[in-house]
Amino acid sequence: STQSTWDFSQMLRVLTKIPKILSSRSFGSHGFLTRDTRFSAVEPYDVEYFKKTLPEKDAVLTEKTLVEKYNEEYTHKYNGLSKCVLRPRTAQEISNILAYCNARKLAVVPQGGRTSLVAGGTSVFDEIVINLEKMNKIYELSPYTGILKLQAGVILENADKYCQDKGFLFPLDLGAKGSCQIGGNLGANAGGLHFIKYGSLHGNTIGMRVVLANGKILDTLDAHRKDNTGYDLKQLFIGAEGTLGIITDAAILCYPKPLSTSVCFLGIPSFDDIKAILIKAKQRFGENLSAIEMMDDQSYELIQRHIKSTRVPIERERYPFYMVIETHHNGPQAESDEKLMSFIETMHEHIPTGILSRDETQRRHIWSTRELIADAFVKEGMTFKYDVSLTVDQFYELVPILRERVGTRAVVGGYGHV
């Protein structure tokens, strides 16, 4: 469309200026960014207030060597300029901080696991960073409802392990699960690898506790799954990136852990084949289809080049595209594997080669190939990641268009959920 053409042209004009813009690797030094003079600068007496409000050791960081890592972001394109990092443990502590900062007109940046690919938790100027890593308590998981209550600083992988030990599965799964935090997942409305089966965080978030900019606490943590009383205010904060308030606690709906999981890795000749496989997989497996992912050859090649710790599933042959399909069943593992293998054989016109996982180790190996794509791009060089949502028919169209316009100036790859 004309609009798409304009967006790409605008993007390319920005890309040509990137080396100059990012020469200092920080936001605030660039001419097109100006600090808002309505905000105050952090003074020594502000730091003293924070230390009284957060009495625990290392809750207030001002030393350059300690603050440095909180000014770094995942892609290494930007450096924040914050000189003060606060690490509260409770919603009340955050309430006290924000009430004070609101009165003093001190700018703040909520920060989670620093896995954002767009520097979402990085300061621009001298904002105070409020990092939630010490808010890592898991309260309870109801065996009756499957609702998990926890603090926003809990690492996703820890939340999932807690659920699995109790026979449940956390609905979200991401490549960054070892570092990302639940609050950041909610703030970004992360979709994840299992979106096709378990849906979005909008649908799986039962309640939350949020501190607003003025320090007031909005508490719907104890809401029931069926709640038809008035406005569903928590939905405003999912995907809001911390702009409306800081999520401190959440209640997430989890699901019974499946008895068996089958995973396959496929080499695919074209994106039309991917679309055909998607349709048939949905028809064949229905609600048992738990994940269906694709990556192009460029993404696959970067994994081979940069992630030496991972051996790719298909080495001898190269294909334009690759897919990962996962199914969850409540029957025997052998029966689950047989169903997936039968599907692969039925779709031989679209699937020239594929590998079915034999055990849990191989399942993890296959998934690591998909999950490490973002790391591979970062290792290739300065990375610009655009997380876009398109219909399946248009899903891959922008990749060849951008490759043509960028030419040899950049590596362009496409991957994601289909």
Side-chain angles (χ1 to χ4, degrees), residues 203-234:
N204 289 310
T205 303
I206 305 302
M208 66 171 61
R209 187 177 290 133
V210 185
V211 182
L212 306 181
N214 60 3
K216 290 186 177 181
I217 298 176
L218 173 65
D219 194 341
T220 65
L221 191 65
D222 293 322
H224 299 286
R225 185 176 181 186
K226 183 182 184 300
D227 185 353
N228 55 3
T229 56
Y231 299 110
D232 192 0
L233 295 177
K234 69 178 181 292

PDB file of all heavy atoms in Angstrom, residues 203-234:
ATOM      1  N   GLY A 203      -6.120 -11.906  28.346  1.00  0.00           N
ATOM      2  CA  GLY A 203      -7.094 -12.935  28.702  1.00  0.00           C
ATOM      3  C   GLY A 203      -6.718 -13.747  29.923  1.00  0.00           C
ATOM      4  O   GLY A 203      -7.593 -14.295  30.597  1.00  0.00           O
ATOM      5  N   ASN A 204      -5.422 -13.818  30.244  1.00  0.00           N
ATOM      6  CA  ASN A 204      -4.960 -14.674  31.338  1.00  0.00           C
ATOM      7  C   ASN A 204      -4.652 -13.920  32.627  1.00  0.00           C
ATOM      8  O   ASN A 204      -4.309 -14.547  33.636  1.00  0.00           O
ATOM      9  CB  ASN A 204      -3.714 -15.450  30.893  1.00  0.00           C
ATOM     10  CG  ASN A 204      -4.052 -16.519  29.871  1.00  0.00           C
ATOM     11  OD1 ASN A 204      -4.967 -17.314  30.073  1.00  0.00           O
ATOM     12  ND2 ASN A 204      -3.328 -16.547  28.760  1.00  0.00           N
ATOM     13  N   THR A 205      -4.746 -12.600  32.603  1.00  0.00           N
ATOM     14  CA  THR A 205      -4.500 -11.822  33.820  1.00  0.00           C
ATOM     15  C   THR A 205      -5.812 -11.625  34.565  1.00  0.00           C
ATOM     16  O   THR A 205      -6.738 -10.989  34.064  1.00  0.00           O
ATOM     17  CB  THR A 205      -3.871 -10.458  33.484  1.00  0.00           C
ATOM     18  OG1 THR A 205      -2.652 -10.673  32.754  1.00  0.00           O
ATOM     19  CG2 THR A 205      -3.561  -9.682  34.755  1.00  0.00           C
ATOM     20  N   ILE A 206      -5.889 -12.175  35.751  1.00  0.00           N
ATOM     21  CA  ILE A 206      -7.122 -12.140  36.540  1.00  0.00           C
ATOM     22  C   ILE A 206      -7.184 -10.881  37.402  1.00  0.00           C
ATOM     23  O   ILE A 206      -8.253 -10.307  37.621  1.00  0.00           O
ATOM     24  CB  ILE A 206      -7.224 -13.397  37.433  1.00  0.00           C
ATOM     25  CG1 ILE A 206      -7.096 -14.660  36.566  1.00  0.00           C
ATOM     26  CG2 ILE A 206      -8.536 -13.402  38.201  1.00  0.00           C
ATOM     27  CD1 ILE A 206      -8.127 -14.767  35.457  1.00  0.00           C
ATOM     28  N   GLY A 207      -6.054 -10.452  37.904  1.00  0.00           N
ATOM     29  CA  GLY A 207      -6.018  -9.255  38.736  1.00  0.00           C
ATOM     30  C   GLY A 207      -4.602  -8.725  38.832  1.00  0.00           C
ATOM     31  O   GLY A 207      -3.644  -9.390  38.436  1.00  0.00           O
ATOM     32  N   MET A 208      -4.453  -7.529  39.361  1.00  0.00           N
ATOM     33  CA  MET A 208      -3.122  -6.962  39.572  1.00  0.00           C
ATOM     34  C   MET A 208      -3.179  -5.840  40.594  1.00  0.00           C
ATOM     35  O   MET A 208      -4.244  -5.316  40.912  1.00  0.00           O
ATOM     36  CB  MET A 208      -2.519  -6.463  38.250  1.00  0.00           C
ATOM     37  CG  MET A 208      -3.233  -5.288  37.629  1.00  0.00           C
ATOM     38  SD  MET A 208      -2.312  -4.582  36.222  1.00  0.00           S
ATOM     39  CE  MET A 208      -2.239  -5.965  35.094  1.00  0.00           C
ATOM     40  N   ARG A 209      -2.008  -5.515  41.090  1.00  0.00           N
ATOM     41  CA  ARG A 209      -1.841  -4.357  41.964  1.00  0.00           C
ATOM     42  C   ARG A 209      -0.928  -3.384  41.237  1.00  0.00           C
ATOM     43  O   ARG A 209       0.133  -3.772  40.752  1.00  0.00           O
ATOM     44  CB  ARG A 209      -1.257  -4.776  43.305  1.00  0.00           C
ATOM     45  CG  ARG A 209      -1.197  -3.675  44.348  1.00  0.00           C
ATOM     46  CD  ARG A 209      -0.667  -4.214  45.665  1.00  0.00           C
ATOM     47  NE  ARG A 209      -1.634  -5.110  46.294  1.00  0.00           N
ATOM     48  CZ  ARG A 209      -1.332  -6.306  46.805  1.00  0.00           C
ATOM     49  NH1 ARG A 209      -0.092  -6.764  46.732  1.00  0.00           N
ATOM     50  NH2 ARG A 209      -2.257  -7.046  47.364  1.00  0.00           N
ATOM     51  N   VAL A 210      -1.360  -2.135  41.146  1.00  0.00           N
ATOM     52  CA  VAL A 210      -0.630  -1.117  40.387  1.00  0.00           C
ATOM     53  C   VAL A 210      -0.493   0.143  41.221  1.00  0.00           C
ATOM     54  O   VAL A 210      -1.441   0.548  41.910  1.00  0.00           O
ATOM     55  CB  VAL A 210      -1.368  -0.761  39.066  1.00  0.00           C
ATOM     56  CG1 VAL A 210      -0.538   0.201  38.237  1.00  0.00           C
ATOM     57  CG2 VAL A 210      -1.697  -2.003  38.276  1.00  0.00           C
ATOM     58  N   VAL A 211       0.688   0.765  41.155  1.00  0.00           N
ATOM     59  CA  VAL A 211       0.885   2.054  41.804  1.00  0.00           C
ATOM     60  C   VAL A 211       0.844   3.134  40.730  1.00  0.00           C
ATOM     61  O   VAL A 211       1.615   3.092  39.767  1.00  0.00           O
ATOM     62  CB  VAL A 211       2.216   2.117  42.567  1.00  0.00           C
ATOM     63  CG1 VAL A 211       2.355   3.476  43.264  1.00  0.00           C
ATOM     64  CG2 VAL A 211       2.308   0.992  43.584  1.00  0.00           C
ATOM     65  N   LEU A 212      -0.055   4.096  40.901  1.00  0.00           N
ATOM     66  CA  LEU A 212      -0.196   5.179  39.942  1.00  0.00           C
ATOM     67  C   LEU A 212       0.893   6.229  40.165  1.00  0.00           C
ATOM     68  O   LEU A 212       1.607   6.213  41.172  1.00  0.00           O
ATOM     69  CB  LEU A 212      -1.577   5.808  40.064  1.00  0.00           C
ATOM     70  CG  LEU A 212      -2.767   4.851  39.945  1.00  0.00           C
ATOM     71  CD1 LEU A 212      -4.073   5.620  40.055  1.00  0.00           C
ATOM     72  CD2 LEU A 212      -2.701   4.055  38.644  1.00  0.00           C
ATOM     73  N   ALA A 213       1.003   7.170  39.237  1.00  0.00           N
ATOM     74  CA  ALA A 213       2.084   8.155  39.276  1.00  0.00           C
ATOM     75  C   ALA A 213       2.049   9.016  40.528  1.00  0.00           C
ATOM     76  O   ALA A 213       3.096   9.497  40.988  1.00  0.00           O
ATOM     77  CB  ALA A 213       2.024   9.041  38.037  1.00  0.00           C
ATOM     78  N   ASN A 214       0.872   9.211  41.106  1.00  0.00           N
ATOM     79  CA  ASN A 214       0.766  10.042  42.315  1.00  0.00           C
ATOM     80  C   ASN A 214       0.941   9.236  43.599  1.00  0.00           C
ATOM     81  O   ASN A 214       0.786   9.763  44.700  1.00  0.00           O
ATOM     82  CB  ASN A 214      -0.565  10.786  42.341  1.00  0.00           C
ATOM     83  CG  ASN A 214      -1.764   9.832  42.345  1.00  0.00           C
ATOM     84  OD1 ASN A 214      -1.599   8.613  42.392  1.00  0.00           O
ATOM     85  ND2 ASN A 214      -2.962  10.393  42.273  1.00  0.00           N
ATOM     86  N   GLY A 215       1.247   7.946  43.462  1.00  0.00           N
ATOM     87  CA  GLY A 215       1.477   7.092  44.618  1.00  0.00           C
ATOM     88  C   GLY A 215       0.275   6.302  45.075  1.00  0.00           C
ATOM     89  O   GLY A 215       0.391   5.423  45.946  1.00  0.00           O
ATOM     90  N   LYS A 216      -0.894   6.575  44.534  1.00  0.00           N
ATOM     91  CA  LYS A 216      -2.092   5.821  44.916  1.00  0.00           C
ATOM     92  C   LYS A 216      -2.012   4.387  44.388  1.00  0.00           C
ATOM     93  O   LYS A 216      -1.505   4.146  43.294  1.00  0.00           O
ATOM     94  CB  LYS A 216      -3.348   6.509  44.390  1.00  0.00           C
ATOM     95  CG  LYS A 216      -3.650   7.829  45.093  1.00  0.00           C
ATOM     96  CD  LYS A 216      -4.993   8.405  44.641  1.00  0.00           C
ATOM     97  CE  LYS A 216      -5.315   9.681  45.407  1.00  0.00           C
ATOM     98  NZ  LYS A 216      -6.621  10.255  44.996  1.00  0.00           N
ATOM     99  N   ILE A 217      -2.529   3.462  45.171  1.00  0.00           N
ATOM    100  CA  ILE A 217      -2.477   2.043  44.810  1.00  0.00           C
ATOM    101  C   ILE A 217      -3.840   1.583  44.323  1.00  0.00           C
ATOM    102  O   ILE A 217      -4.855   1.752  45.007  1.00  0.00           O
ATOM    103  CB  ILE A 217      -2.035   1.185  46.011  1.00  0.00           C
ATOM    104  CG1 ILE A 217      -0.620   1.579  46.457  1.00  0.00           C
ATOM    105  CG2 ILE A 217      -2.076  -0.300  45.637  1.00  0.00           C
ATOM    106  CD1 ILE A 217      -0.145   0.852  47.707  1.00  0.00           C
ATOM    107  N   LEU A 218      -3.846   1.005  43.122  1.00  0.00           N
ATOM    108  CA  LEU A 218      -5.058   0.384  42.570  1.00  0.00           C
ATOM    109  C   LEU A 218      -4.904  -1.127  42.769  1.00  0.00           C
ATOM    110  O   LEU A 218      -3.974  -1.727  42.221  1.00  0.00           O
ATOM    111  CB  LEU A 218      -5.204   0.720  41.090  1.00  0.00           C
ATOM    112  CG  LEU A 218      -6.327   0.015  40.330  1.00  0.00           C
ATOM    113  CD1 LEU A 218      -7.682   0.455  40.862  1.00  0.00           C
ATOM    114  CD2 LEU A 218      -6.223   0.292  38.830  1.00  0.00           C
ATOM    115  N   ASP A 219      -5.777  -1.724  43.540  1.00  0.00           N
ATOM    116  CA  ASP A 219      -5.622  -3.131  43.920  1.00  0.00           C
ATOM    117  C   ASP A 219      -6.812  -3.963  43.455  1.00  0.00           C
ATOM    118  O   ASP A 219      -7.920  -3.843  43.984  1.00  0.00           O
ATOM    119  CB  ASP A 219      -5.466  -3.239  45.436  1.00  0.00           C
ATOM    120  CG  ASP A 219      -4.962  -4.607  45.877  1.00  0.00           C
ATOM    121  OD1 ASP A 219      -5.081  -5.565  45.083  1.00  0.00           O
ATOM    122  OD2 ASP A 219      -4.449  -4.719  46.994  1.00  0.00           O
ATOM    123  N   THR A 220      -6.576  -4.809  42.457  1.00  0.00           N
ATOM    124  CA  THR A 220      -7.584  -5.776  42.017  1.00  0.00           C
ATOM    125  C   THR A 220      -6.991  -7.189  42.060  1.00  0.00           C
ATOM    126  O   THR A 220      -7.448  -8.078  41.349  1.00  0.00           O
ATOM    127  CB  THR A 220      -8.068  -5.469  40.581  1.00  0.00           C
ATOM    128  OG1 THR A 220      -6.971  -5.642  39.655  1.00  0.00           O
ATOM    129  CG2 THR A 220      -8.597  -4.053  40.465  1.00  0.00           C
ATOM    130  N   LEU A 221      -5.966  -7.377  42.902  1.00  0.00           N
ATOM    131  CA  LEU A 221      -5.236  -8.639  42.922  1.00  0.00           C
ATOM    132  C   LEU A 221      -6.118  -9.823  43.293  1.00  0.00           C
ATOM    133  O   LEU A 221      -5.915 -10.935  42.815  1.00  0.00           O
ATOM    134  CB  LEU A 221      -4.055  -8.540  43.894  1.00  0.00           C
ATOM    135  CG  LEU A 221      -3.045  -9.685  43.838  1.00  0.00           C
ATOM    136  CD1 LEU A 221      -2.335  -9.716  42.495  1.00  0.00           C
ATOM    137  CD2 LEU A 221      -2.025  -9.575  44.971  1.00  0.00           C
ATOM    138  N   ASP A 222      -7.098  -9.595  44.142  1.00  0.00           N
ATOM    139  CA  ASP A 222      -7.945 -10.691  44.612  1.00  0.00           C
ATOM    140  C   ASP A 222      -9.228 -10.858  43.798  1.00  0.00           C
ATOM    141  O   ASP A 222     -10.198 -11.453  44.268  1.00  0.00           O
ATOM    142  CB  ASP A 222      -8.307 -10.470  46.089  1.00  0.00           C
ATOM    143  CG  ASP A 222      -7.089 -10.599  46.982  1.00  0.00           C
ATOM    144  OD1 ASP A 222      -6.250 -11.469  46.700  1.00  0.00           O
ATOM    145  OD2 ASP A 222      -6.979  -9.829  47.951  1.00  0.00           O
ATOM    146  N   ALA A 223      -9.220 -10.320  42.597  1.00  0.00           N
ATOM    147  CA  ALA A 223     -10.398 -10.464  41.733  1.00  0.00           C
ATOM    148  C   ALA A 223     -10.615 -11.930  41.367  1.00  0.00           C
ATOM    149  O   ALA A 223      -9.682 -12.724  41.323  1.00  0.00           O
ATOM    150  CB  ALA A 223     -10.217  -9.636  40.462  1.00  0.00           C
ATOM    151  N   HIS A 224     -11.862 -12.277  41.101  1.00  0.00           N
ATOM    152  CA  HIS A 224     -12.193 -13.635  40.679  1.00  0.00           C
ATOM    153  C   HIS A 224     -12.118 -13.733  39.159  1.00  0.00           C
ATOM    154  O   HIS A 224     -12.204 -12.725  38.453  1.00  0.00           O
ATOM    155  CB  HIS A 224     -13.598 -14.005  41.157  1.00  0.00           C
ATOM    156  CG  HIS A 224     -13.732 -13.968  42.647  1.00  0.00           C
ATOM    157  ND1 HIS A 224     -13.193 -14.936  43.464  1.00  0.00           N
ATOM    158  CD2 HIS A 224     -14.318 -13.066  43.476  1.00  0.00           C
ATOM    159  CE1 HIS A 224     -13.460 -14.644  44.725  1.00  0.00           C
ATOM    160  NE2 HIS A 224     -14.141 -13.511  44.761  1.00  0.00           N
ATOM    161  N   ARG A 225     -11.999 -14.965  38.678  1.00  0.00           N
ATOM    162  CA  ARG A 225     -11.928 -15.159  37.229  1.00  0.00           C
ATOM    163  C   ARG A 225     -13.199 -14.641  36.564  1.00  0.00           C
ATOM    164  O   ARG A 225     -13.153 -14.020  35.509  1.00  0.00           O
ATOM    165  CB  ARG A 225     -11.711 -16.634  36.899  1.00  0.00           C
ATOM    166  CG  ARG A 225     -11.507 -16.881  35.418  1.00  0.00           C
ATOM    167  CD  ARG A 225     -11.209 -18.332  35.128  1.00  0.00           C
ATOM    168  NE  ARG A 225     -10.998 -18.534  33.699  1.00  0.00           N
ATOM    169  CZ  ARG A 225     -10.821 -19.729  33.134  1.00  0.00           C
ATOM    170  NH1 ARG A 225     -10.821 -20.821  33.886  1.00  0.00           N
ATOM    171  NH2 ARG A 225     -10.654 -19.825  31.833  1.00  0.00           N
ATOM    172  N   LYS A 226     -14.330 -14.885  37.194  1.00  0.00           N
ATOM    173  CA  LYS A 226     -15.595 -14.340  36.691  1.00  0.00           C
ATOM    174  C   LYS A 226     -15.943 -13.119  37.532  1.00  0.00           C
ATOM    175  O   LYS A 226     -16.315 -13.226  38.696  1.00  0.00           O
ATOM    176  CB  LYS A 226     -16.724 -15.374  36.780  1.00  0.00           C
ATOM    177  CG  LYS A 226     -18.047 -14.869  36.191  1.00  0.00           C
ATOM    178  CD  LYS A 226     -19.139 -15.905  36.343  1.00  0.00           C
ATOM    179  CE  LYS A 226     -20.434 -15.435  35.673  1.00  0.00           C
ATOM    180  NZ  LYS A 226     -20.948 -14.180  36.259  1.00  0.00           N
ATOM    181  N   ASP A 227     -15.771 -11.963  36.935  1.00  0.00           N
ATOM    182  CA  ASP A 227     -16.029 -10.716  37.645  1.00  0.00           C
ATOM    183  C   ASP A 227     -16.682  -9.739  36.669  1.00  0.00           C
ATOM    184  O   ASP A 227     -16.022  -9.191  35.777  1.00  0.00           O
ATOM    185  CB  ASP A 227     -14.720 -10.137  38.185  1.00  0.00           C
ATOM    186  CG  ASP A 227     -14.960  -8.891  39.035  1.00  0.00           C
ATOM    187  OD1 ASP A 227     -16.111  -8.419  39.095  1.00  0.00           O
ATOM    188  OD2 ASP A 227     -13.988  -8.393  39.624  1.00  0.00           O
ATOM    189  N   ASN A 228     -17.981  -9.543  36.821  1.00  0.00           N
ATOM    190  CA  ASN A 228     -18.706  -8.664  35.888  1.00  0.00           C
ATOM    191  C   ASN A 228     -19.138  -7.362  36.556  1.00  0.00           C
ATOM    192  O   ASN A 228     -20.135  -6.756  36.194  1.00  0.00           O
ATOM    193  CB  ASN A 228     -19.923  -9.389  35.296  1.00  0.00           C
ATOM    194  CG  ASN A 228     -20.850  -9.924  36.377  1.00  0.00           C
ATOM    195  OD1 ASN A 228     -20.621  -9.706  37.560  1.00  0.00           O
ATOM    196  ND2 ASN A 228     -21.882 -10.641  35.961  1.00  0.00           N
ATOM    197  N   THR A 229     -18.332  -6.932  37.557  1.00  0.00           N
ATOM    198  CA  THR A 229     -18.677  -5.721  38.301  1.00  0.00           C
ATOM    199  C   THR A 229     -17.924  -4.510  37.749  1.00  0.00           C
ATOM    200  O   THR A 229     -16.780  -4.261  38.101  1.00  0.00           O
ATOM    201  CB  THR A 229     -18.339  -5.888  39.790  1.00  0.00           C
ATOM    202  OG1 THR A 229     -16.949  -6.232  39.900  1.00  0.00           O
ATOM    203  CG2 THR A 229     -19.169  -6.983  40.415  1.00  0.00           C
ATOM    204  N   GLY A 230     -18.531  -3.790  36.854  1.00  0.00           N
ATOM    205  CA  GLY A 230     -17.974  -2.518  36.402  1.00  0.00           C
ATOM    206  C   GLY A 230     -16.779  -2.642  35.479  1.00  0.00           C
ATOM    207  O   GLY A 230     -16.595  -3.640  34.793  1.00  0.00           O
ATOM    208  N   TYR A 231     -15.964  -1.598  35.482  1.00  0.00           N
ATOM    209  CA  TYR A 231     -14.843  -1.502  34.553  1.00  0.00           C
ATOM    210  C   TYR A 231     -13.734  -2.491  34.906  1.00  0.00           C
ATOM    211  O   TYR A 231     -13.422  -2.710  36.073  1.00  0.00           O
ATOM    212  CB  TYR A 231     -14.265  -0.085  34.569  1.00  0.00           C
ATOM    213  CG  TYR A 231     -15.238   0.982  34.164  1.00  0.00           C
ATOM    214  CD1 TYR A 231     -15.735   1.894  35.095  1.00  0.00           C
ATOM    215  CD2 TYR A 231     -15.685   1.086  32.849  1.00  0.00           C
ATOM    216  CE1 TYR A 231     -16.636   2.882  34.726  1.00  0.00           C
ATOM    217  CE2 TYR A 231     -16.583   2.065  32.465  1.00  0.00           C
ATOM    218  CZ  TYR A 231     -17.062   2.959  33.416  1.00  0.00           C
ATOM    219  OH  TYR A 231     -17.947   3.928  33.042  1.00  0.00           O
ATOM    220  N   ASP A 232     -13.118  -3.050  33.878  1.00  0.00           N
ATOM    221  CA  ASP A 232     -11.987  -3.947  34.067  1.00  0.00           C
ATOM    222  C   ASP A 232     -10.712  -3.109  33.955  1.00  0.00           C
ATOM    223  O   ASP A 232     -10.027  -3.108  32.939  1.00  0.00           O
ATOM    224  CB  ASP A 232     -12.018  -5.050  33.005  1.00  0.00           C
ATOM    225  CG  ASP A 232     -11.048  -6.179  33.323  1.00  0.00           C
ATOM    226  OD1 ASP A 232     -10.366  -6.101  34.363  1.00  0.00           O
ATOM    227  OD2 ASP A 232     -10.953  -7.117  32.513  1.00  0.00           O
ATOM    228  N   LEU A 233     -10.399  -2.372  35.013  1.00  0.00           N
ATOM    229  CA  LEU A 233      -9.333  -1.367  34.959  1.00  0.00           C
ATOM    230  C   LEU A 233      -7.950  -1.950  34.713  1.00  0.00           C
ATOM    231  O   LEU A 233      -7.085  -1.288  34.138  1.00  0.00           O
ATOM    232  CB  LEU A 233      -9.333  -0.550  36.258  1.00  0.00           C
ATOM    233  CG  LEU A 233     -10.577   0.311  36.498  1.00  0.00           C
ATOM    234  CD1 LEU A 233     -10.478   1.000  37.844  1.00  0.00           C
ATOM    235  CD2 LEU A 233     -10.756   1.327  35.375  1.00  0.00           C
ATOM    236  N   LYS A 234      -7.728  -3.190  35.143  1.00  0.00           N
ATOM    237  CA  LYS A 234      -6.384  -3.773  34.977  1.00  0.00           C
ATOM    238  C   LYS A 234      -5.959  -3.836  33.523  1.00  0.00           C
ATOM    239  O   LYS A 234      -4.764  -3.785  33.203  1.00  0.00           O
ATOM    240  CB  LYS A 234      -6.342  -5.172  35.594  1.00  0.00           C
ATOM    241  CG  LYS A 234      -7.173  -6.219  34.855  1.00  0.00           C
ATOM    242  CD  LYS A 234      -7.032  -7.589  35.493  1.00  0.00           C
ATOM    243  CE  LYS A 234      -7.841  -8.635  34.728  1.00  0.00           C
ATOM    244  NZ  LYS A 234      -9.301  -8.408  34.853  1.00  0.00           N
TER     245      LYS A 234
END
